[in-house]
Amino acid sequence: MVLEGFSTFQTILLGGAAAFATFAIVLLYRVVRGPTMEDRVIAINAIGTNTVVVLALAAAAFGQPGYLDVALVYALLNFLASIAISKFIVERGGVL
């Protein structure tokens, strides 16, 4: 079933974006139930990476290059957040 008004290529891109979004939702379990702080940090980083991929696929599907700018900024923020959380864990006495 092809979505009305979308080509097959756009439908495939949006399906891939939906798959990555579903995977990000599944990763929320690891964020909430992760046995260690390191598991939570990795899960949050993976969710951020999946968000960047979803934005890039949406940019390609809709032909909106402005979404790529948003994806790039989000990727940089995701990287900085991972570094900050990792530094916090190490300073608190945890081993990363």
Side-chain angles (χ1 to χ4, degrees):
M1 173 176 91
V2 176
L3 299 172
E4 289 294 322
F6 289 113
S7 69
T8 304
F9 182 67
Q10 288 174 319
T11 305
I12 291 170
L13 288 175
L14 291 175
F20 277 103
T22 303
F23 182 59
I25 291 170
V26 171
L27 280 171
L28 286 175
Y29 174 78
R30 184 55 51 201
V31 172
V32 173
R33 301 281 301 194
T36 64
M37 184 63 95
E38 290 82 10
D39 290 332
R40 290 183 175 104
V41 170
I42 291 171
I44 289 171
N45 194 12
I47 289 171
T49 303
N50 283 338
T51 304
V52 171
V53 171
V54 167
L55 286 170
L57 289 173
F62 297 127
Q64 297 290 329
Y67 290 174
L68 293 175
D69 295 336
V70 174
L72 182 62
V73 170
Y74 192 82
L76 290 171
L77 289 174
N78 185 40
F79 173 72
L80 290 175
S82 296
I83 296 298
I85 293 170
S86 298
K87 183 175 174 158
F88 173 75
I89 291 171
V90 169
E91 286 178 356
R92 197 179 69 174
V95 177
L96 191 66

